[in-house]
Amino acid sequence: MARVKGSVGEQQQPVSFIERLAGSEGFCALFREGMSLVEEAASYLDGDGRIEAKALPRTEALAYAAESMRLTTRLMQIASWLLLQRAVNQGELTRHQAASNRHRVKLREQELASAPEIFQRLPQRLCDLSLQSLRLQARIIHLDRLIYAPEPVRAAPAPALSPVEAQIAKLRAAFAQ
């Protein structure tokens, strides 16, 4: 956090860089990327993905089903989080309201559902979408932790030593050697 300079006698207010980041063009780009990935995955899974899944052998077909469900779940969490942050940025909710249990999107890190050797045999487009969603999820979880991290506990300043106590401390230090 940085401090905003004010007039003499005016209370200085901290500026949260993460608040600025959440409302920045960087967030807008992240929002567009996330929503675009949601649309792309939905289009694939409802179109070419269905056709590709029908042509797979049994083991790969089961892995396809598991990966597509995990991809859908991951992308719905991402979309929910992005929409919530946009609502905060547009003033529809406060950051405090967004952090409440009622509104909070609980992001969970998800791995791939399949073993690597089976995952590699799945349709390339599903693999690409899954890996893109994992990278986006990691970025969003990192940002979520920055935004909603608990405020650091500020320690109370140590009481100043009186001049007599300071002299006694110096004498003790000198004799301790």
mmCIF file of all heavy atoms in Angstrom, residues 5 12 39:
data_model
loop_
_atom_site.group_PDB
_atom_site.id
_atom_site.type_symbol
_atom_site.label_atom_id
_atom_site.label_comp_id
_atom_site.label_asym_id
_atom_site.label_seq_id
_atom_site.Cartn_x
_atom_site.Cartn_y
_atom_site.Cartn_z
ATOM 1 N N LYS A 5 -0.642 11.685 -0.379
ATOM 2 C CA LYS A 5 -0.290 12.925 0.304
ATOM 3 C C LYS A 5 -1.523 13.801 0.408
ATOM 4 O O LYS A 5 -2.296 13.925 -0.522
ATOM 5 C CB LYS A 5 0.820 13.661 -0.445
ATOM 6 C CG LYS A 5 2.128 12.902 -0.409
ATOM 7 C CD LYS A 5 3.202 13.690 -1.106
ATOM 8 C CE LYS A 5 4.509 12.901 -1.056
ATOM 9 N NZ LYS A 5 5.581 13.622 -1.685
ATOM 10 N N GLN A 12 -3.761 10.863 6.243
ATOM 11 C CA GLN A 12 -3.334 10.206 5.009
ATOM 12 C C GLN A 12 -4.049 8.864 4.900
ATOM 13 O O GLN A 12 -4.104 8.101 5.858
ATOM 14 C CB GLN A 12 -1.824 9.989 5.014
ATOM 15 C CG GLN A 12 -1.054 11.279 4.917
ATOM 16 C CD GLN A 12 0.440 11.009 4.833
ATOM 17 O OE1 GLN A 12 0.902 9.907 5.085
ATOM 18 N NE2 GLN A 12 1.188 12.017 4.469
ATOM 19 N N GLU A 39 -17.002 -19.242 -23.719
ATOM 20 C CA GLU A 39 -17.767 -19.368 -24.970
ATOM 21 C C GLU A 39 -17.137 -20.393 -25.905
ATOM 22 O O GLU A 39 -17.837 -21.207 -26.525
ATOM 23 C CB GLU A 39 -17.853 -18.018 -25.673
ATOM 24 C CG GLU A 39 -18.767 -17.030 -24.986
ATOM 25 C CD GLU A 39 -18.784 -15.682 -25.702
ATOM 26 O OE1 GLU A 39 -18.532 -15.639 -26.925
ATOM 27 O OE2 GLU A 39 -19.047 -14.674 -25.015
#
